[in-house]
Amino acid sequence: MCAHQPQCPATDSPAAHVVTARPEQGWSLLCDGTVVFDDTGELLPDGRVVQPRRVTAGGLAVAA
């Protein structure tokens, strides 16, 4: 799907780069076939879903 030399990184590697970005729709396509969503969720090329890693209100820092 891309021109990485050596081969494109595995889907669990952070080395993949964006080949198509649609920020107005909230997603980007990586060179390894992964679709990454703005909410941090992912749809992997084999159909598996990575759930969004959302921060709860208790985990946010509060400015004093």
Side-chain angles (χ1 to χ4, degrees):
M1 186 176 220
C2 74
H4 269 118
Q5 290 300 326
Q7 281 289 32
C8 196
T11 55
D12 59 352
S13 170
H17 65 272
V18 175
V19 293
T20 302
R22 296 288 183 246
E24 71 281 2
Q25 295 177 353
W27 62 271
S28 296
L29 174 65
L30 302 182
C31 62
D32 64 2
T34 300
V35 178
V36 180
F37 298 95
D38 286 353
D39 68 356
T40 71
E42 299 176 21
L43 180 58
L44 301 177
D46 64 3
R48 289 181 296 140
V49 173
V50 176
Q51 295 298 320
R53 294 169 295 283
R54 295 191 174 120
V55 177
T56 62
L60 296 175
V62 177

